[in-house]
Amino acid sequence: MLNSEFVVQQPVYLIDASVFVFRAWHSVPIEVVDPDGNAVNALHGFSRFLGDLIEQVRPQHMAVAFDASLVTSYRKRIYPAYKANREPAPEDLKRQFLQCQRVCAGLGIASFVSGEYEADDVIGTLAARARAEGRKVVIVTRDKDLSQLVRPGDEYWDYISDKRFGYDRIADRFGVQPERMACFLALMGDAVDNIPGVPGVGRKTASTLFYHFESLTHLYNDLDRVLKIKLRNAGFVCGQLRDYRESAFLARQLTEIACDMPLDVELDQLRRRPPDLGELNKLYDTVGFGRLLRNQAERIVALS
C-alpha cells in the first residue's frame, strides 16, 4: 500500500462566482426564461460552468464565493465613495444570484456570502485556512485583484481563457509579484471600483516602483530613492507620491484582500458532496430547464 505521506493531495478550488454569473448574464441569450417569463440565462450559464469544471478536474475540495450588498461592505465605512459609481444590479440578475447559490447546494458545493466582506475576502480567508492545513489552492477567476493571494504551489486559473498562472508567472501577467499587488493597485487606483490612487502613476510606473520596493511603507520610508532608479519623469512621480501620500494609503486599505474574516468553517466542510438530484430537478423544473444540465448532474453523480 502506498504510504499516505507520499500521496499528492489535490488543491482546494476557490471560485469567484461574480465573474461567471456576470459572464453568463451577458453571453447567454436573454430569451432563456422560466415559465413565468423571468430571465434565467445567468443561472443556466453559471450552472453549466460549474458542471463543466467538476467534470474536467473532479475537485475533492471546492468552494464558491458570492458577493452580497456593496452598501454594507466594511470598505464603504473606510471610504464611502468605494464602488459608488456602479449601477445597482438589475432585479432579474439579483434573483438569479440567489438561484445560483441553490445550484451550488444541489451540486454538493460549499458556497459563502457575507454582508460585510466581499467574495475576494471569502476566497482570501479560505485560502489562508487551506494553507494552514498544508493544502495548495487554485483560484478560479479572471479578476486581477485576486492574484495577490497566489503563493508558491498555488495557481490562478483564468477559466474563461483556460490560462493558468503559477506564482512565478504572476508578475509577467499582471506587472508585479503577488505580495506587492495590493500596493501596486493602490498607486494606480481603479476607476471601476472608484479607488483614487495617485494621479499620474500608471501600470508601468507602479510596476517599476514595486520592482524596487517591497511595499508602500518601504517606498515612503525611502522616497528620495525614487529619483535614483531608472524611471521616466522620476521627479514628477516623486512629487505626486508626496502630494498624494494619504490617498495612496487609503487606497491600500481598499485593495488589500482580507484573509482573516470571521468565517466558521473547517477544511472538511469544503469537501465536495455528490449532487442532490432531487433538489436540482426541483429547481430545474421550476425554471424550465431541459435535459442538458440534468444529464450533466447525473454524470457527476456517476463520478462520485
Side-chain angles (χ1 to χ4, degrees):
M1 179 179 289
L2 187 65
N3 191 312
S4 61
E5 68 177 297
F6 295 111
V7 175
V8 178
Q9 291 184 315
Q10 272 199 0
V12 178
Y13 287 78
L14 303 175
I15 298 165
D16 178 15
S18 291
V19 167
F20 303 99
V21 177
F22 276 109
R23 181 174 186 263
W25 169 254
H26 290 293
S27 63
V28 178
I30 196 67
E31 291 79 17
V32 178
V33 295
D34 68 14
D36 295 322
N38 299 307
V40 287
N41 56 333
L43 174 65
H44 192 282
F46 181 74
S47 303
R48 181 64 186 271
F49 150 70
L50 280 182
D52 287 349
L53 187 147
I54 292 170
E55 288 193 290
Q56 181 178 349
V57 299
R58 303 185 190 183
Q60 294 174 353
H61 292 80
M62 65 187 300
V64 179
F66 287 88
D67 282 309
S69 171
L70 293 175
V71 176
T72 56
S73 166
Y74 80 91
R75 289 179 176 86
K76 293 285 283 187
R77 295 199 296 273
I78 296 171
Y79 183 58
Y82 175 69
K83 293 188 177 181
N85 54 333
R86 293 194 180 186
E87 292 292 328
E91 290 302 318
D92 259 351
L93 182 56
K94 288 181 182 177
R95 176 179 44 76
Q96 290 187 77
F97 264 103
L98 295 175
Q99 292 171 322
C100 288
Q101 292 176 48
R102 287 185 61 189
V103 165
C104 289
L107 286 171
I109 305 168
S111 69
F112 300 88
V113 63
S114 167
E116 185 169 3
Y117 292 86
E118 296 178 48
D120 291 6
D121 305 311
V122 173
I123 291 172
T125 299
L126 292 175
R129 302 275 180 89
R131 289 195 198 99
E133 298 288 330
R135 303 294 288 272
K136 304 302 182 185
V137 301
V138 175
I139 299 169
V140 186
T141 185
R142 65 173 359 186
D143 182 350
K144 66 182 183 302
D145 297 6
L146 283 162
S147 66
Q148 68 185 266
L149 300 175
V150 177
R151 294 295 179 267
D154 296 340
E155 276 191 332
Y156 173 106
W157 187 7
D158 180 348
Y159 185 89
I160 294 170
S161 299
D162 196 21
K163 294 180 179 178
R164 295 175 181 246
F165 301 91
Y167 176 83
D168 293 333
R169 295 186 60 207
I170 292 294
D172 289 339
R173 174 65 182 86
F174 296 107
V176 71
Q177 65 190 67
E179 295 89 344
R180 304 180 186 188
M181 178 60 68
C183 295
F184 171 76
L185 295 171
L187 282 195
M188 290 195 302
D190 189 337
V192 174
D193 290 345
N194 209 33
I195 297 175
V198 176
V201 175
R203 175 188 166 106
K204 188 173 181 181
T205 298
S207 179
T208 300
L209 288 171
F210 289 112
Y211 176 81
H212 293 277
F213 297 94
E214 293 179 18
S215 66
L216 269 185
T217 301
H218 283 95
L219 172 61
Y220 276 97
N221 284 345
D222 195 9
L223 200 54
D224 287 339
R225 186 176 154 217
V226 172
L227 300 171
K228 301 174 185 177
I229 64 179
K230 189 176 181 181
L231 182 69
R232 186 180 179 186
N233 297 322
F236 168 77
V237 171
C238 196
Q240 290 294 95
L241 290 170
R242 282 198 176 92
D243 291 346
Y244 290 91
R245 183 184 190 280
E246 185 176 334
S247 178
F249 279 96
L250 169 64
R252 178 68 172 74
Q253 294 182 70
L254 304 175
T255 59
E256 182 177 26
I257 293 174
C259 295
D260 58 354
M261 67 174 280
L263 196 61
D264 186 18
V265 62
E266 300 292 333
L267 182 61
D268 193 58
Q269 292 171 258
L270 306 188
R271 183 177 292 277
R272 183 172 58 84
R273 305 177 307 279
D276 184 332
L277 295 180
E279 285 302 310
L280 283 175
N281 284 327
K282 190 184 301 182
L283 173 60
Y284 293 162
D285 286 342
T286 301
V287 298
F289 287 170
R291 288 301 313 170
L292 180 70
L293 295 175
R294 300 171 200 257
N295 290 343
Q296 185 172 60
E298 291 168 6
R299 290 197 304 270
I300 293 170
V301 169
L303 294 174
S304 301

